[in-house]
Amino acid sequence: MPVADFRALHHGRRPGDPLVLPGPWDAASARAFADAGFPALATPSAAVAESLGLADGDVPAAEMFAAVARVARAVDVPVSADIEDGYGLPPGELVARLLEAGAVGCNLEDTDRSSGRLLGPREQADRLAAVRAEAGDALFLNARIDTYLRGASDEDALERARLYAAAGADCVYPILAPESALAAIAAASGLLVNAMAPPEASAPHRLGLLGATRITFGKGMFLRSMAAAGAIAAELRSA
């Protein structure tokens, strides 16, 4: 599915009916989610890292792009990739590697992973604008806002939402935002809002009613899968 069709999945949605994007960490999980009927997927970096035996943030860029490519090759639905802070790659190379991996979109966060520093709003807006200039319409750009993760203010989140929209983002992702803040962030940016939800059946509907248009789950689905595997193992051990 081309990026235009992926973009279209986000628009025209009714309140309470957000786009739900499961988070695969490998080819097998991607096939399971696609076979269940989900129209698109979004890889979570934390789940990919744990599946590789690494901590979140410790996956080298080459391994992350390889993981995204395995997911994209395994399914016939579009895949968006969590690429953390972009791994220090120049915008042109970042875009080229995403497209080469088969991704139609990406998350790009405003924390510098090497230092743990929350980048300034205008500094990150400039980075997003550079990525947009390189990508044109070829990528759906989901701008992650780490305000709430890093203890900054609501005003900071709103400023980032406005600036990231002006820089060309398609969507903003205020990770760990209070549910009460979603509508204000959507209004400030004029963009779609991605909310992170627990992998419960009721969560996407509730967040959709509160202003989210797109729902992802971080590493929640990976953790549930590992819990199921642990339960199977315990059952076998006790047999």
Side-chain angles (χ1 to χ4, degrees):
M1 183 183 291
V3 65
D5 293 336
F6 180 61
R7 237 182 225 108
L9 289 172
H10 293 75
H11 293 281
R13 308 198 71 89
R14 301 184 307 277
D17 180 35
L19 177 63
V20 177
L21 299 177
W25 51 93
D26 60 12
S29 59
R31 289 193 196 100
F33 295 141
D35 288 349
F38 288 98
L41 308 174
T43 64
S45 66
V48 171
E50 292 202 20
S51 75
L52 296 172
L54 298 170
D56 186 22
D58 286 351
V59 180
E63 288 201 45
M64 185 62 74
F65 287 114
V68 172
R70 288 191 292 272
V71 167
R73 285 197 304 266
V75 295
D76 293 327
V77 299
V79 173
S80 182
D82 181 352
I83 53 167
E84 303 178 355
D85 64 353
Y87 309 109
L89 297 173
E93 183 178 352
L94 186 65
V95 170
R97 294 180 75 168
L98 280 163
L99 296 176
E100 183 181 5
V104 299
C106 69
N107 289 0
L108 189 61
E109 65 191 53
D110 52 11
T111 294
D112 180 344
R113 290 270 182 146
S114 63
S115 66
R117 180 176 69 92
L118 183 63
L119 298 176
R122 293 188 181 279
E123 181 181 6
Q124 178 66 358
D126 288 344
R127 293 176 72 229
L128 291 167
V131 172
R132 172 56 70 210
E134 291 288 346
D137 291 332
L139 286 174
F140 185 99
L141 186 53
N142 189 30
R144 199 177 97 171
I145 296 172
D146 285 0
T147 292
Y148 298 101
L149 185 64
R150 302 296 171 188
S153 65
D154 288 323
E155 290 75 14
D156 179 81
L158 296 176
E159 179 186 12
R160 289 173 186 273
R162 287 189 288 267
L163 288 171
Y164 298 174
D170 293 284
C171 185
V172 289
Y173 177 18
I175 191 168
L176 299 186
E179 294 179 1
S180 59
L182 297 175
I185 291 169
S189 66
L191 294 181
L192 312 168
V193 173
N194 185 151
M196 186 171 74
E200 302 165 357
S202 62
H205 173 74
R206 185 185 74 251
L207 292 171
L209 290 173
L210 291 170
T213 305
R214 162 173 159 155
I215 305 295
T216 53
F217 302 93
K219 65 177 181 179
M221 291 185 163
F222 174 81
L223 293 177
R224 284 192 66 176
S225 295
M226 293 303 98
I232 293 168
E235 181 182 345
L236 289 171
R237 287 284 293 168
S238 64

